[in-house]
Amino acid sequence: MSVVRIHDPRFARLMIGHANLEKLWTGGRWLEGPAYFPAGRYLVFSDIPNDRLLRFDEMSGQVSVFWPGCGFHNGHARDQQGRLVCCEHLARVVSRIEHDGSRRVLASHWQGKRFNSPNDVIVAPDGAIWFSDPTYGIDGDYEGEKAESEIGASNVYRLDPETGAVEAVVTDRVKPNGLALAPGGQFLVVADTGRTHRPELDATLTRYRLDAEGRPIQPGETFATLADGFFDGFRFDAEGNLWSSAGRFVHCHGPDGALGLTIEIGEIVGNLCFGGAKGNRLFICAQTSLYSLFVNARGAT
């Protein structure tokens, strides 16, 4: 049973009093990249150090290996056509699994240089693919393969759906990680886990207003900070509240960044997403285990 703390009474309505945190599966080393497929009622997620994708079947409650030896996948997203968009650490690319099961590389270089290790990814309503590119997959051999950064920086990129052109759209973060577009498309929020490499830095969520062409205006503004641990992956609900990993907790922030509630998970949380038949089931990838919690909110579409 999870411990929920309400920091702002306006957020109490988001919790269902008799809905408990469920541990659905355990046995991973570092779980990440959840993506829910409503047509099949299943969730795909990564176990990065074990180099495999896993699949949770919501109907049977069973977890199986979806893709062994996948190339150290991290983040995933479902596009509008129901295909799986993948961040691959080993190949250092963003790829997509087509309807026939084949793998297509969508982006591998920027300005002629290989990416570091694409980390988290979202698909915007216009079909553009946005992804972060810190160095965690090349910092060592645990989540990829040790190598030097060719770019020499960690950025957020946008892949144009029509031309395939890759554009660096956020360049002022140390280690950009999780990212999400707010409902309505006015803001992009980016987590910075740069404290892993520079201990003096704050763990932050930064919000960028988008210009008329849909590009982030730099510098952004601090949306939230975290004293203990890191913000990593996160998602918005339909009302504009942001549900984020936050060390050993899940935090829910209002559209203004105010902390509304915290949910204690008991393990370090990597990422989360909404799913279920009504989009109100929060799936949580923690360090070794997959959890879920039904909430009184639906994921943004």
Side-chain angles (χ1 to χ4, degrees):
M1 184 174 180
S2 63
V3 176
V4 177
R5 294 183 175 87
I6 305 298
H7 303 281
D8 184 326
R10 294 174 300 172
F11 288 75
R13 63 182 179 81
L14 299 178
M15 291 290 96
I16 301 170
H18 55 283
N20 290 328
L21 183 72
E22 303 172 69
K23 181 182 284 190
L24 303 176
W25 179 83
T26 191
R29 286 200 170 101
W30 180 248
L31 303 187
E32 252 281 8
Y36 185 79
F37 288 79
R41 297 290 297 274
Y42 65 85
L43 180 87
V44 171
F45 59 103
S46 306
D47 182 5
I48 305 176
N50 283 320
D51 191 18
R52 59 182 178 173
L53 288 188
L54 300 170
R55 178 181 181 272
F56 169 72
D57 186 317
E58 196 173 18
M59 295 295 92
S60 68
Q62 299 299 307
V63 170
S64 58
V65 178
F66 181 75
W67 186 358
C70 60
F72 297 94
H73 280 207
N74 190 329
H76 298 98
R78 187 188 74 247
D79 72 6
Q80 288 91 338
Q81 289 74 45
R83 299 168 296 190
L84 181 66
V85 180
C86 314
C87 290
E88 301 187 25
H89 277 188
L90 187 62
R92 298 162 65 173
V93 303
V94 175
S95 63
R96 186 174 67 211
I97 307 304
E98 306 292 346
H99 289 130
D100 63 2
S102 62
R103 168 182 172 270
R104 178 184 175 187
V105 174
L106 302 178
S108 59
H109 292 74
W110 177 66
Q111 296 185 345
K113 299 176 182 179
R114 295 182 70 187
F115 294 123
N116 299 318
S117 52
N119 186 289
D120 205 353
V121 61
I122 55 175
V123 180
D126 64 357
I129 295 172
W130 298 60
F131 61 97
S132 59
D133 185 42
T135 58
Y136 298 117
I138 60 173
D139 284 339
D141 296 319
Y142 190 60
E143 296 186 16
E145 188 170 81
K146 186 174 177 60
E148 295 297 320
S149 171
E150 295 183 13
I151 295 173
S154 297
N155 302 318
V156 173
Y157 298 92
R158 179 185 183 274
L159 174 65
D160 188 277
E162 301 297 330
T163 67
V166 176
E167 176 185 2
V169 290
V170 175
T171 58
D172 64 351
R173 298 292 92 205
V174 176
K175 299 294 176 187
N177 203 310
L179 70 168
L181 289 165
Q186 292 183 317
F187 298 100
L188 171 75
V189 177
V190 178
D192 193 340
T193 51
R195 193 159 64 186
T196 57
H197 288 63
R198 292 173 51 186
E200 76 279 6
L201 296 178
D202 291 330
T204 59
L205 294 173
T206 301
R207 183 170 67 177
Y208 299 86
R209 184 177 294 276
L210 304 186
D211 64 19
E213 296 182 349
R215 303 298 191 273
I217 300 171
Q218 299 184 83
E221 61 179 352
T222 299
F223 183 75
T225 59
L226 186 64
D228 185 22
F230 299 92
F231 294 118
D232 195 337
F234 51 88
R235 293 292 184 270
F236 281 99
D237 68 23
E239 297 180 7
N241 300 307
L242 186 147
W243 300 73
S244 177
S245 61
R248 300 171 72 86
F249 296 82
V250 169
H251 284 188
C252 180
H253 294 265
D256 60 354
L259 178 60
L261 61 87
T262 59
I263 306 166
E264 185 176 357
I265 305 300
E267 296 188 71
I268 301 170
V269 180
N271 210 333
L272 51 81
C273 75
F274 287 92
K278 296 184 178 180
N280 64 338
R281 190 176 192 181
L282 195 64
F283 289 101
I284 302 160
C285 285
Q287 186 167 0
T288 67
S289 307
L290 176 68
Y291 298 85
S292 77
L293 177 67
F294 283 92
V295 296
N296 193 26
R298 294 189 179 191
T301 56

